[in-house]
Amino acid sequence: MVLFLQIRIGLNNMIKLPVYLDNNATTKVDPRVLETMIPFFTEDFGNAASRNHPFGWKAEEAVDYAREQIAALIGANEKEIIFTSGATESNNLALKGVFEMYAEKGKHIITAVTEHKAILDTCKHLEKQGAEITYLHPAENGLLTVAQVEEVIRPDTILVTIMFGNNEIGVLQPIREIAAVCKKHGVLFHSDATQAVGKIPVDVMADNIDLMSFTAHKMYGPKGIGALYVRRKNPRVKVTAQMDGGGHERGMRSGTLNVPGIVGFGKAAELARLEMQTDTNRIIKMRDRLENSLLTLEESYLNGSKEHRLPHTTNISFKYVEGEGLMMAIKDIAVSSGSACTSASLEPSYVLKSLGLDDELAHSSLRFGLSRYTTDEEIDFTIKCVTDAVNRLRDMSPLWEMFKEGIDLKSVQWTEH
Amino acid sequence: MAYSEKVIDHYSNPRNVGTLDKGSPNVGTGLVGAPECGDVMRLQIQVNPETGVIEDARFKTFGCGSAIASSSLATEWLKGKSVDQALTIDNMDIVEELALPPVKIHCSVLAEDAIRAAINDYRVKQGLEPIAEEKSHH
Ligand SMILES: Cc1ncc(COP(=O)(O)O)c(C=O)c1O
């Protein structure tokens, strides 16, 4: 395969292909993170629960330190961090754990249709267990309003779960306002902050968040380690364990701790806390340049709110270009398209559809996710590659020709097949 | 999705992209597929009315790599054939030539439909009966 080759662009700047712009899916592990992890595989491999020897003590000490690093990033107390295998598990533990723990209060949960599958599928599971779920629909720009949430709170509402930043379009919900309304009504508030933590300032105290899911691999840490923040004061929140066993993590999540992963997560959190601002300043400039250039193409549209957005994400649709053909044309760039590949058929993204995009436009959208490793040269290359691809495919597209002739495509009698 | 070399070749260097004068009596145009299904093919043939031979063929396709390749290949095969010979092009010939996987067979079906639609458009222009729908797709 000709996947990894070097190309020369500009003067002497070599870039490695394909260009990786899928950082909302996962990020590269920062070498500084990897370095801190390695001794915990080799020398200091102890079980953090081993109380009788230095191997265990060393591991426990490292875990404690990482817990502090992670807590510091989100303004929490270290006792409020429950380690899990990732945000999927954290979401499961938060929703199922609250549903079971607060069953006496009620069984109503509020969420939104644009949430990650780890929330939506957990909600579906809970519906089978008797939960009543209200799914809010955001506006065309992907935003929910506080009023929308408050309107549907009932006396038996036990939890509101709304994501911080959306993984596909990057839209940031008014979390602080929504959380305040929940507090006012005495309802617990959970946020899937997987895409936000480490990228923008998140403070569980200032934001009034009761439970929060996040994961290391979206912030230059390793895969397979995440956390659930569980508030200990005002109010003291409890979740029923979903994994029974040795009673680790204050009984909320049993299982031998993934010490190297936790150490790496801690280091990644510390780096994020210290470097977030400088990273963001650079990334947002590149993101805006990419976005503005691609939006100069005719009939290209930005998906989701431009203002309320994660700094590293942009999602753009190119009308009259077919999604799969587009992906093939830009194989030198690793991005996600608006199609979720479910076995053989391509399903248009439910997030984009919920914003009112039709299937075609959803399929022809690209999500770009930048990182601290993204370079200006990579952005130059991406702009050129996508622009050329869109132009070339449009030159080949009968729909583009018809559009240019002023034919209303909705009036055409298409033959189904 | 792994594409065959032939699909990649047609996709990267499509043959006969373009537009013929659809108002001309010697040009037949077939437009098949639907935007919401993810593929639309427009295939055009220009026929020499004396000889009945297809002198030129052009396409434009909105679709995946396999759809583009199927229509590009179809135009190559059409050129130089008589209209009657063109009707014998079978979608499975396209599948075989491009090594299309099962999920992409519909692209070849669409190309066959487009050939038929273009020929019928030409026939109607020439005052002939359209060929009846013959649904023998694989
Ligand atoms: C918003 C959101 N929630 C949850 C997840 C799942 O995270 P993890 O891979 O750590 O289970 C992701 C990542 O795909 C995400 O983007």
Side-chain angles (χ1 to χ4, degrees), chain A residues 86-88 91 116 163 167 192 194-195 215 217-218:
Chain A
T88 299
N91 286 339
H116 191 269
M163 75 199 317
N167 44 304
D192 176 355
T194 304
Q195 295 289 343
T215 196
H217 75 94
K218 310 276 188 189

Side-chain angles (χ1 to χ4, degrees), chain A residues 319-330 344-346 359-360 363 392-399 401-402 405 407 409 412-417, chain B residues 1 3 7-8 11-14 17-19 22 31-42 59-65 68 103-104 106 110 113:
Chain A
K319 218 172 168 181
Y320 310 114
V321 176
E322 193 276 331
E324 231 185 301
L326 179 60
M327 289 306 280
M328 193 170 166
I330 58 165
S345 71
L346 291 176
D359 287 11
E360 278 166 81
H363 278 306
R392 186 173 98 82
L393 291 171
R394 280 179 175 169
D395 282 344
M396 250 196 271
S397 165
L399 303 181
E401 188 180 305
M402 290 161 97
E405 285 170 358
I407 296 170
L409 294 178
V412 176
Q413 198 68 45
W414 300 106
T415 61
E416 299 294 329
H417 61 100
Chain B
M1 169 76 58
Y3 290 97
V7 168
I8 292 171
Y11 172 82
S12 315
N13 311 290
V17 174
T19 307
K22 65 171 179 283
L31 180 68
V32 297
E36 59 272 19
C37 302
D39 342 72
V40 176
M41 271 182 205
R42 191 195 60 198
F59 84 95
K60 279 201 176 183
T61 290
F62 164 88
C64 65
I68 289 170
V103 294
K104 293 297 179 187
H106 71 276
L110 204 60
D113 287 350

Side-chain angles (χ1 to χ4, degrees), chain A residues 192-351:
Chain A
D192 176 355
T194 304
Q195 295 289 343
V197 170
K199 308 291 170 52
I200 58 166
V202 169
D203 185 321
V204 290
M205 292 312 283
D207 290 342
N208 258 313
I209 294 170
D210 297 314
L211 300 123
M212 186 171 82
S213 304
F214 53 115
T215 196
H217 75 94
K218 310 276 188 189
M219 44 189 271
Y220 316 105
K223 292 165 188 56
I225 184 73
L228 180 66
Y229 159 79
V230 182
R231 180 178 283 275
R232 265 166 56 100
K233 260 196 259 168
N234 308 311
R236 183 181 180 87
V237 180
K238 284 207 241 159
V239 293
T240 305
Q242 301 300 307
M243 193 73 80
D244 298 315
H248 308 74
E249 299 300 274
R250 293 167 46 223
M252 285 189 253
R253 203 278 193 176
S254 286
T256 296
L257 291 176
N258 169 1
V259 179
I262 289 169
V263 167
F265 192 4
K267 184 66 181 178
E270 181 184 283
L271 292 173
R273 186 168 56 80
L274 298 174
E275 300 178 2
M276 184 187 302
Q277 199 52 57
T278 29
D279 279 349
T280 297
N281 292 345
R282 274 186 57 246
I283 290 171
I284 208 163
K285 273 201 207 99
M286 290 190 283
R287 192 273 311 266
D288 288 347
R289 193 159 66 79
L290 172 66
E291 178 172 296
N292 292 335
S293 300
L294 295 181
L295 289 177
T296 62
L297 283 165
E298 270 179 276
E299 296 294 312
S300 60
Y301 301 93
L302 177 68
N303 295 313
S305 163
K306 196 176 169 77
E307 295 75 39
H308 303 279
R309 200 151 46 117
L310 290 165
H312 65 290
T313 307
T314 182
N315 187 311
I316 302 174
S317 291
F318 304 94
K319 218 172 168 181
Y320 310 114
V321 176
E322 193 276 331
E324 231 185 301
L326 179 60
M327 289 306 280
M328 193 170 166
I330 58 165
K331 62 180 187 332
D332 285 334
I333 311 169
V335 290
S336 281
S337 75
S339 307
C341 211
T342 50
S343 65
S345 71
L346 291 176
E347 283 292 315
S349 139
Y350 66 90
V351 172

Side-chain angles (χ1 to χ4, degrees), chain A residues 115-135:
Chain A
E115 293 288 314
H116 191 269
K117 284 287 180 198
I119 293 288
L120 294 177
D121 287 357
T122 304
C123 285
K124 264 193 220 141
H125 174 92
L126 290 177
E127 277 176 317
K128 288 193 199 119
Q129 319 272 306
E132 288 172 32
I133 317 270
T134 300
Y135 298 92

Side-chain angles (χ1 to χ4, degrees), chain A residues 9 32 40 45 73 78 129 133 135-136 164 191 255 272 276 342 371:
Chain A
I9 192 168
R32 296 168 290 180
F40 293 91
F45 56 83
L73 177 64
E78 64 273 11
Q129 319 272 306
I133 317 270
Y135 298 92
L136 298 172
F164 217 111
S191 187
M276 184 187 302
T342 50
S371 81

